[in-house]
Amino acid sequence: MRCKRRNHLPGLKAKVALAAIKGDKMLAELAEQFDVHQNQTQDWKKQLLDQADSVFGSSQERKTADEAQLNDLHAKIGELTLENDFLEGALTKAGLLSAKR
């Protein structure tokens, strides 16, 4: 029987990553202390260092970026909907798709 995958809380991830950044203990010691895999400790440290600038960024910048991304996604949804409708009509006319769904 397979073991269930563990999901770690963001607070634990932050604690482990900060402890790894401090450098007081080796990654193996931290992994043992927090009962996580050593590679996971290293990954969380890297994520924290890579995304540290977003913590201090303004909320307006993030909001603008989120809105831009949302607009792009809405445009893509519209494009894919048109393509699906077109293909459905073409396949129905060709008799390859039944009209009943």
Side-chain angles (χ1 to χ4, degrees):
M1 191 167 159
R2 283 185 65 174
C3 293
K4 232 176 126 177
R5 205 173 182 155
R6 290 183 357 182
N7 293 324
H8 300 287
L9 297 174
L12 174 70
K13 292 178 182 182
K15 238 186 251 186
V16 173
L18 287 173
I21 289 172
K22 281 183 187 176
D24 295 342
K25 295 182 180 180
M26 302 286 282
L27 290 178
E29 293 172 333
L30 290 173
E32 186 178 327
Q33 177 185 347
F34 290 104
D35 191 30
V36 294
H37 195 273
Q38 184 175 350
N39 292 344
Q40 193 68 62
T41 305
Q42 193 172 16
D43 290 344
W44 291 340
K45 176 184 173 184
K46 185 178 182 301
Q47 284 177 0
L48 180 63
L49 291 173
D50 290 344
Q51 298 174 2
D53 60 339
S54 67
V55 173
F56 298 108
S58 74
S59 61
Q60 184 62 32
E61 290 174 359
R62 276 185 260 135
K63 187 176 181 181
T64 304
D66 289 345
E67 287 176 357
Q69 185 180 16
L70 185 64
N71 288 337
D72 290 344
L73 291 174
H74 279 256
K76 186 67 175 176
I77 288 171
E79 182 183 321
L80 292 173
T81 302
L82 284 173
E83 288 178 11
N84 282 341
D85 291 345
F86 173 78
L87 290 173
E88 182 180 7
L91 289 174
T92 302
K93 284 182 184 177
L96 298 173
L97 184 68
S98 65
K100 295 180 185 176
R101 279 187 147 203

